[in-house]
Amino acid sequence: MVKEAEANKEADKKKREEVDAKNHADSLIASTEQSLKEHGSKISEADKKAIEKDMEDLKEAIKSDKTEDIKTKTQQLMTSSMKLGEAIYKAQQETAGASKTDAKPDDKKDVVDAEFEEVKDDNKKNG
């Protein structure tokens, strides 16, 4: 039994690598599709088409069961989808910057900085 396990060790390792590559690719596709739905309007149509093409290429690679092809197509999708990530990040920065400039400079006018001390009344009569 140990000899059989040793003999199949390499095949098991390749199968594990293939499954991991497919899982990573599926996860990337799902997250990219979600990001495109939410933020696709923030990128150019050409960038959007490139991302969609790379997603389709990766889906085809997953069907082919070729681990190296899956890894290559995964990397291509990661690279093309970076433009989407950059657009999302830029939009978040602009939103954060806008909310900072909306604050009034005189907002701190009513703030009072004070110290306090709790005073116990020992002369309190029990009734």
Side-chain angles (χ1 to χ4, degrees):
M1 191 169 183
V2 173
K3 288 181 182 180
E4 186 178 317
E6 290 287 329
N8 292 323
K9 183 179 180 180
E10 191 62 33
D12 290 345
K13 182 179 175 184
K14 285 183 180 182
K15 187 65 176 174
R16 167 80 181 201
E17 189 176 332
E18 179 184 328
V19 169
D20 286 345
K22 284 183 175 183
N23 287 341
H24 180 66
D26 282 336
S27 175
L28 180 61
I29 289 169
S31 65
T32 304
E33 284 175 339
Q34 183 65 31
S35 293
L36 270 177
K37 284 180 188 176
E38 292 178 21
H39 307 286
S41 62
K42 295 176 183 164
I43 59 173
S44 70
E45 195 62 34
D47 289 339
K48 190 174 180 179
K49 294 278 185 201
I51 293 169
E52 289 171 345
K53 181 190 179 305
D54 288 344
M55 276 195 300
E56 290 304 316
D57 290 348
L58 182 54
K59 288 177 184 178
E60 290 300 316
I62 291 171
K63 292 176 187 175
S64 74
D65 292 335
K66 295 178 182 175
T67 305
E68 287 306 313
D69 193 32
I70 293 170
K71 288 180 178 181
T72 301
K73 302 293 184 188
T74 299
Q75 189 61 41
Q76 287 175 346
L77 179 56
M78 288 172 63
T79 301
S80 64
S81 65
M82 279 185 197
K83 293 198 187 277
L84 182 59
E86 290 170 1
I88 294 168
Y89 179 76
K90 184 178 177 184
Q92 288 173 343
Q93 293 302 314
E94 288 173 358
T95 302
S99 65
K100 285 181 183 177
T101 58
D102 290 344
K104 297 176 187 172
D106 296 336
D107 282 349
K108 293 186 178 184
K109 194 187 271 187
D110 297 331
V111 176
V112 177
D113 188 20
E115 293 183 20
F116 71 94
E117 182 178 321
E118 187 175 328
V119 179
K120 295 184 181 180
D121 189 8
D122 290 336
N123 297 331
K124 190 175 180 182
K125 294 183 181 178
N126 294 333

